[in-house]
Amino acid sequence: MEILVCVKRVPDTAENEIEVNGSGSDIERDDLVYSVNEWDNYAVEEAIQIRDNVGGTVTVVTVGDDESEEVLRREMAMGADNGILLTDDAFEGSDGKGIATLLKAAVEKGKYDLILTGAQADDGAGQVGGMLAAMLDVPYASLVNKIEVNGDKLKVGREIEGGNQEMNEIAMPCVLSIQTGINEPRYVGIRGIRKVASVEIPELGAGDLGVDAGAVGAAAAKVKRVDYFVPELGEGAEMLEGSTEEIIAKLIEHLKAKGGLK
Amino acid sequence: MADIYAYINHKNGVADDSALELIEAAKKIDAGAAVTAIVTGSGSELDQVADAVAATYPKVLKFNADALAYPNAEVVRKLLVNVLPADAILLVAHDTFGMDLSPGLSIKLDSAFVSDVADIEGVDGSTLKAIRQEYSGMVSTHVTCDISAGAVINVRPGCFAPDESQSAGGTVEDKSGDAGDLSTGRTFLEVVEAEVGDVDITKSDVLVSVGRGIEDEENIEIAQELADAMGAVVSCSRPIVDAKWLEKSRQVGTSGQTVKPKVYMACGISGSFQHMGGIKGSPFIVAINKNVKAPIFQVADVGIEADILEFLPELTEAIGEL
């Protein structure tokens, strides 16, 4: 099976405190630790497991600048066979539709049976997979947490509310967005990283993709971010201050009053 | 302005709370809009929901078909493409169905898409101004959206307070005949209900809930010791289940269990909106986190800035000495 996985380099929110810069135009990016978007990492692991079971190849693709190459190499060290970097100044400021337009062009340069994305990334929009499927006119399922291959069809489980799982049969080719928890992404060691360090990763710009530069980037974006801000807190929590002993004493009083201690 | 529509989710013959919230969101787009509700499904449950929704919406369009018996987003997308005007503004709840339906729908309608909107500031000409959150709720953003060619807007559940007093006395129109071809490449099979775990966290008055801040599987023991001392049960946020440190039945959140204990101790949990969705209406929330900017502190009653790995054992000891 030929599988394409769309990945993104994002600030690692588990490792960083995200702060807004002085003017509100961006987050503070100095000293940020970047990594592969967590959901995408599960998608790549799932693709590798499917390939190992039924054969084929796994290709990882990303839209970004030169630094985004590091996430492609990381996923190749994990076990993906190929990487593709979509990069061009014209792509900057693309909204979800712009990114999906670029990915569609990349998909059409290959012949993929299955396309995976993470369920969402840093902006929390969760939009690129569904947009890409609609542009390609293939079936889509989001928040997928189980995949079984049955010939040219897949049986997929979707995570829905209340811990329940919605089972669907979906025809390939198709696009699925992958929810965390579907598998346990494997550990990537230094040796794996070294092994793929010199592999050539093709870079494709607007011309290579046959994409009209005016159809992507900031100019084409219907949805635009104006600024970043930290919301004013509501009443907020009563912060307990003092020494640890004093804090614990105050907390125990609260717990007693609210029925938190038996 | 284009006509505003709201897609209404329902289950077991009852409309979701979002039905009341979407109409409030619509009023922030156009205070005078006559918002049309769309209800899809089959059988008597559908009729029941459509009639109930007409109490809130002036007009309800009802689509009855076997293919719509379960809300398969691929089928509903085809229906909406068949029946909505190209410049429609459609509001959808940002839940697991809305996330499945909406991005692709916006492409098929060639309209704009704004995901997971927490607030709407209004419309200026053909520009909608909205507020979203990024980076797991750590920062917010103002966004603009060009709605001149229509828009699909996903609204975060719980962000628009419903006005329960209003009564629209609306009409229900059966538009099933307009549904068109609903065949798709995705077939709904079944819903597999969540497994019942060894402990039912929804039954506990006190939950000691752990998140990423617990750092390591073996540290779960620290939370368990505190829970034992308090007579509480250990629950957790999603990353702990993803890491398989605790079973799914212990997960609090929209994709896990909804809980309503007397006291909820959020330990090392930053507080994504999916997690908050699982503790709606929890009376007393204690948040312990080393990041004082974590969103959980916005909803907690009592906050403690501390590393849970150091704080919880000391708290356990102090409770043991009572």
Side-chain angles (χ1 to χ4, degrees), chain B residues 16 30 32 38 59 85 93 95 106 116 139 144 152 161 168 177 185 207 227 246-247 268 290-291 299:
Chain B
D16 193 73
D30 179 356
I38 296 179
K59 194 169 165 189
D95 52 19
S106 74
D116 191 19
V139 293
T144 57
V152 179
L207 290 173
L246 285 171
E247 57 188 56
K290 56 184 173 187
N291 176 9
V299 299

Short mmCIF file of all heavy atoms in Angstrom, two decimals, chain B residues 16 30 32 38 59 85 93 95 106 116 139 144 152 161 168 177 185 207 227 246-247 268 290-291 299:
data_model
loop_
_atom_site.label_atom_id
_atom_site.label_comp_id
_atom_site.label_asym_id
_atom_site.label_seq_id
_atom_site.Cartn_x
_atom_site.Cartn_y
_atom_site.Cartn_z
N ASP B 16 -29.11 18.30 21.00
CA ASP B 16 -27.94 18.61 21.81
C ASP B 16 -28.05 20.04 22.37
O ASP B 16 -28.71 20.90 21.78
CB ASP B 16 -26.72 18.51 20.89
CG ASP B 16 -25.42 18.48 21.62
OD1 ASP B 16 -25.12 17.46 22.23
OD2 ASP B 16 -24.70 19.51 21.60
N ASP B 30 -25.58 38.40 13.28
CA ASP B 30 -26.64 39.29 12.81
C ASP B 30 -27.78 39.22 13.83
O ASP B 30 -28.52 38.23 13.87
CB ASP B 30 -27.11 38.84 11.42
CG ASP B 30 -28.23 39.74 10.88
OD1 ASP B 30 -28.68 40.65 11.61
OD2 ASP B 30 -28.64 39.52 9.73
N GLY B 32 -30.60 40.46 14.01
CA GLY B 32 -31.96 40.34 13.52
C GLY B 32 -32.20 39.15 12.62
O GLY B 32 -33.27 39.02 12.01
N ILE B 38 -31.34 23.08 10.66
CA ILE B 38 -31.38 21.89 9.80
C ILE B 38 -31.28 20.66 10.70
O ILE B 38 -30.36 20.56 11.51
CB ILE B 38 -30.24 21.91 8.78
CG1 ILE B 38 -30.43 23.10 7.84
CG2 ILE B 38 -30.17 20.59 8.01
CD1 ILE B 38 -29.35 23.26 6.81
N LYS B 59 -37.51 28.69 11.89
CA LYS B 59 -37.75 27.78 10.77
C LYS B 59 -36.85 26.56 10.93
O LYS B 59 -35.66 26.70 11.20
CB LYS B 59 -37.42 28.51 9.47
CG LYS B 59 -37.93 27.83 8.23
CD LYS B 59 -37.74 28.82 7.08
CE LYS B 59 -37.86 28.17 5.73
NZ LYS B 59 -37.48 29.11 4.67
N PRO B 85 -27.75 27.08 -0.08
CA PRO B 85 -27.30 28.06 -1.07
C PRO B 85 -25.79 28.27 -0.93
O PRO B 85 -25.24 28.12 0.17
CB PRO B 85 -28.06 29.33 -0.73
CG PRO B 85 -28.73 29.10 0.57
CD PRO B 85 -28.65 27.65 0.92
N ALA B 93 -21.69 22.79 15.67
CA ALA B 93 -20.95 22.64 16.93
C ALA B 93 -19.58 22.00 16.66
O ALA B 93 -19.47 21.09 15.84
CB ALA B 93 -21.75 21.76 17.89
N ASP B 95 -17.76 19.63 17.72
CA ASP B 95 -17.63 18.37 18.46
C ASP B 95 -17.10 17.33 17.47
O ASP B 95 -16.68 17.69 16.36
CB ASP B 95 -18.99 17.97 19.06
CG ASP B 95 -20.10 17.98 18.03
OD1 ASP B 95 -19.80 17.93 16.82
OD2 ASP B 95 -21.28 18.02 18.43
N SER B 106 -16.83 23.03 3.69
CA SER B 106 -16.46 24.38 3.26
C SER B 106 -15.81 24.35 1.88
O SER B 106 -16.00 25.27 1.07
CB SER B 106 -15.53 25.04 4.28
OG SER B 106 -14.23 24.50 4.22
N ASP B 116 -13.56 25.93 15.45
CA ASP B 116 -13.47 26.04 16.91
C ASP B 116 -13.50 27.48 17.41
O ASP B 116 -12.58 27.96 18.06
CB ASP B 116 -12.17 25.35 17.35
CG ASP B 116 -12.11 25.18 18.86
OD1 ASP B 116 -13.15 25.24 19.52
OD2 ASP B 116 -10.98 24.99 19.36
N VAL B 139 -2.79 30.49 24.37
CA VAL B 139 -2.96 31.86 23.87
C VAL B 139 -4.23 31.92 23.03
O VAL B 139 -4.69 30.92 22.49
CB VAL B 139 -1.76 32.33 22.99
CG1 VAL B 139 -0.50 32.47 23.80
CG2 VAL B 139 -1.53 31.39 21.82
N THR B 144 -9.94 37.18 11.37
CA THR B 144 -10.95 37.72 10.47
C THR B 144 -11.27 36.66 9.43
O THR B 144 -10.40 35.86 9.07
CB THR B 144 -10.46 38.99 9.74
OG1 THR B 144 -9.27 38.67 9.02
CG2 THR B 144 -10.20 40.11 10.71
N VAL B 152 -18.56 28.32 6.72
CA VAL B 152 -18.91 27.28 7.67
C VAL B 152 -18.16 27.65 8.96
O VAL B 152 -16.94 27.87 8.92
CB VAL B 152 -18.50 25.88 7.18
CG1 VAL B 152 -18.84 24.83 8.22
CG2 VAL B 152 -19.17 25.57 5.84
N ALA B 161 -23.72 31.43 25.93
CA ALA B 161 -24.71 31.12 26.96
C ALA B 161 -26.11 31.16 26.36
O ALA B 161 -26.52 32.17 25.79
CB ALA B 161 -24.61 32.13 28.09
N ALA B 168 -39.60 30.70 19.87
CA ALA B 168 -39.72 31.15 18.49
C ALA B 168 -41.06 30.80 17.86
O ALA B 168 -41.53 31.49 16.97
CB ALA B 168 -38.58 30.55 17.66
N GLY B 177 -37.58 15.50 0.23
CA GLY B 177 -37.59 15.33 -1.23
C GLY B 177 -36.43 16.03 -1.92
O GLY B 177 -36.08 15.69 -3.05
N GLY B 185 -18.59 6.93 -0.12
CA GLY B 185 -17.63 5.83 0.00
C GLY B 185 -17.37 5.43 1.43
O GLY B 185 -16.40 4.71 1.71
N LEU B 207 -12.19 13.22 43.09
CA LEU B 207 -11.26 12.66 42.11
C LEU B 207 -9.90 13.33 42.22
O LEU B 207 -9.81 14.56 42.26
CB LEU B 207 -11.81 12.86 40.69
CG LEU B 207 -13.05 12.04 40.30
CD1 LEU B 207 -13.57 12.47 38.94
CD2 LEU B 207 -12.72 10.55 40.31
N ALA B 227 -4.90 9.68 46.79
CA ALA B 227 -6.31 9.29 46.66
C ALA B 227 -6.71 8.35 47.80
O ALA B 227 -7.78 8.50 48.39
CB ALA B 227 -6.56 8.63 45.30
N LEU B 246 -2.88 4.50 32.44
CA LEU B 246 -4.15 4.19 33.09
C LEU B 246 -5.13 3.81 32.00
O LEU B 246 -4.96 4.19 30.83
CB LEU B 246 -4.68 5.40 33.87
CG LEU B 246 -4.00 5.74 35.20
CD1 LEU B 246 -4.50 7.09 35.73
CD2 LEU B 246 -4.23 4.65 36.25
N GLU B 247 -6.19 3.06 32.36
CA GLU B 247 -7.10 2.62 31.33
C GLU B 247 -8.08 3.73 30.95
O GLU B 247 -8.30 4.70 31.70
CB GLU B 247 -7.82 1.35 31.74
CG GLU B 247 -8.58 1.44 33.03
CD GLU B 247 -9.10 0.07 33.46
OE1 GLU B 247 -8.29 -0.88 33.59
OE2 GLU B 247 -10.31 -0.02 33.64
N GLY B 268 -1.28 18.60 37.73
CA GLY B 268 -0.42 18.57 36.54
C GLY B 268 -1.21 18.48 35.26
O GLY B 268 -0.76 17.92 34.27
N LYS B 290 2.76 23.52 37.93
CA LYS B 290 3.93 24.40 38.07
C LYS B 290 3.89 25.56 37.09
O LYS B 290 4.59 26.54 37.26
CB LYS B 290 5.24 23.61 38.00
CG LYS B 290 5.46 22.78 36.80
CD LYS B 290 6.78 21.98 36.97
CE LYS B 290 6.94 20.99 35.85
NZ LYS B 290 8.07 20.10 36.02
N ASN B 291 3.03 25.46 36.05
CA ASN B 291 2.88 26.59 35.11
C ASN B 291 1.67 27.41 35.53
O ASN B 291 0.52 27.03 35.31
CB ASN B 291 2.71 26.06 33.69
CG ASN B 291 2.45 27.18 32.70
OD1 ASN B 291 2.57 28.37 33.05
ND2 ASN B 291 2.11 26.81 31.49
N VAL B 299 -10.42 28.23 35.50
CA VAL B 299 -11.69 27.63 35.92
C VAL B 299 -11.63 27.06 37.34
O VAL B 299 -12.65 26.72 37.92
CB VAL B 299 -12.14 26.50 34.97
CG1 VAL B 299 -12.37 27.03 33.57
CG2 VAL B 299 -11.12 25.38 34.94
#
